[in-house]
Amino acid sequence: MTVLVLLNAGAGSIKGADSGDLEKRLRSGFQARGIETEVRLAEGREIAEMARKFAVSKSRGKKSRMLVVGGGDGTIGSVASAISGTNVVIGILPLGTLNHFARDLGLSNDLEAAMDAIAAGHVQKIDVAEVNGRVFINNSSIGIYPFLVAERSAEQKRRGMGKLAALGPALLLTLKASSWQRVRISIDGKGREQRTLCVFVGNNFYDLSNLGHRSSLASGELCVYVVKRQSWWGLALLPFKVAFGLIDPVHDVELFRLQSLEIRARRGHMRIAMDGETVEATTPVHYRIRPGALRVLAPVLTKATSRNA
């Protein structure tokens, strides 16, 4: 069997590097582990379409088929959207800048270790989350964060800097332009209106006291943080509090753990962030968890998963 390997040409670890050397390393590395591969280099949107065609072409049989994807969280999320609920098993090569999903899955950023995990063949079922039918693997948010992501991308292009370096100036511009907005949040059929600058929705529980890590990707719940009213100085400090695990659950945020969520606003459309990218969504915005919808190859001893395939 030949395994299809899709690489995002724009991923942080690939962009500007010699892709030919990487392809050769992957082919020889997988071959040494008894796996023949077909390696394709493409852009993010092309990869999502390739994954969708792969899932459709292999969905008729009951036997699982493997698809390996190399890229960051956005790439993995787009592929997960294409294959969730199918018999396709995904192997991950963490080649992005931050690789949050791979970290929470128990994978290291080392390419050899990632190939070892894929070759070992340990399949786990993990959850994905949806917003208005669109899948995300890490988190989604409304309010200030989508604008911060957009400003960060603009700063990267303007100044030719990386994501982390662009975060500071992007944060200043975002805070200057933002204002509190009133939203109606419906939980378990009960709605309430609240002014907030940001609603954060995570696929499984994000522990803000532990640098935003997830200890499980299979708990079957959404993690919802609603930012409480506070000073602009307090808001400016929030990203740094998250980074150092110093969030105050009493004064900074309100936490909900649930299976579905609806958010309404006065506007007909809303900008939302999904796995580090922004999209326009029609309101009301509906979130839900899909337990065990994605099958991944992960280290057998990882604490990030609990369902065996």
Side-chain angles (χ1 to χ4, degrees):
M1 179 183 68
T2 300
V3 173
L4 178 61
V5 179
L6 301 178
L7 301 179
N8 182 0
S13 298
I14 300 177
K15 196 173 182 179
D18 190 333
S19 59
D21 286 346
L22 177 60
E23 290 180 46
K24 184 184 295 185
R25 181 182 175 187
L26 290 174
R27 286 193 185 95
S28 61
F30 278 118
Q31 190 174 46
R33 293 166 173 81
I35 301 174
E36 295 296 326
T37 58
E38 177 188 351
V39 182
R40 297 184 188 176
L41 195 68
E43 298 296 331
R45 291 183 179 179
E46 294 174 327
I47 288 178
E49 184 58 29
M50 289 178 180
R52 190 171 291 106
K53 289 180 179 179
F54 182 89
V56 171
S57 66
K58 306 301 180 184
S59 63
R60 295 178 182 177
K62 294 182 179 180
K63 186 177 180 180
S64 298
R65 300 299 298 272
M66 186 195 307
L67 175 66
V68 175
V69 179
D73 292 326
T75 303
I76 305 303
S78 67
V79 172
S81 181
I83 68 173
S84 293
T86 72
N87 62 355
V88 177
V89 178
I90 183 174
I92 296 170
L93 300 173
L95 298 174
T97 303
L98 301 176
N99 302 312
H100 291 301
F101 179 71
R103 176 202 65 190
D104 292 342
L105 193 60
L107 293 169
S108 82
N109 288 338
D110 179 73
L111 194 57
E112 296 296 324
M115 286 191 284
D116 284 340
I118 292 169
H122 299 297
V123 182
Q124 303 281 352
K125 287 184 177 180
I126 65 170
D127 307 334
V128 298
E130 278 187 1
V131 51
N132 286 8
R134 302 183 64 160
V135 166
F136 60 94
I137 53 173
N138 289 336
N139 55 71
S140 172
S141 58
I142 68 166
I144 189 173
Y145 186 69
F147 290 92
L148 175 60
V149 171
E151 286 291 350
R152 184 189 65 189
S153 297
E155 286 296 304
Q156 286 181 262
K157 293 179 181 178
R158 260 195 308 263
R159 307 190 185 199
M161 54 177 58
K163 286 184 178 180
L164 294 177
L167 183 59
L171 178 60
L172 293 177
L173 290 170
T174 302
L175 287 175
K176 185 178 180 180
S178 296
S179 60
W180 297 92
Q181 62 177 307
R182 185 177 294 279
V183 296
R184 184 172 181 81
I185 303 173
S186 296
I187 299 172
D188 297 329
K190 299 178 181 179
R192 65 171 186 173
E193 287 197 356
Q194 182 168 338
R195 283 192 177 275
T196 181
L197 204 61
C198 181
V199 178
F200 172 97
V201 182
N203 173 26
N204 284 259
F205 177 66
Y206 275 77
D207 186 356
L208 297 186
S209 66
N210 187 25
L211 307 181
H213 284 216
R214 290 174 289 180
S215 61
S216 173
L217 292 177
S219 65
E221 64 180 5
L222 299 172
C223 168
V224 181
Y225 284 105
V226 180
V227 174
K228 295 183 177 181
R229 294 289 297 270
Q230 53 192 283
S231 68
W232 289 108
W233 174 244
L235 287 173
L237 290 176
L238 270 182
F240 302 99
K241 286 185 176 182
V242 172
F244 292 100
L246 300 175
I247 283 288
D248 183 346
V250 175
H251 299 99
D252 293 331
V253 295
E254 189 172 7
L255 168 65
F256 302 94
R257 300 173 74 161
L258 35 79
Q259 282 71 50
S260 63
L261 174 73
E262 180 187 88
I263 301 175
R264 293 180 176 269
R266 294 178 179 177
R267 292 171 294 177
H269 291 82
M270 181 183 297
R271 181 181 291 185
I272 63 175
M274 293 172 50
D275 292 337
E277 300 177 356
T278 62
V279 297
E280 289 291 325
T282 302
T283 57
V285 178
H286 297 277
Y287 286 93
R288 73 178 180 114
I289 195 77
R290 289 176 56 190
L294 184 64
R295 305 174 73 191
V296 298
L297 294 165
V300 68
L301 297 179
T302 179
K303 295 180 180 179
T305 56
S306 60
R307 299 187 188 95
N308 292 321

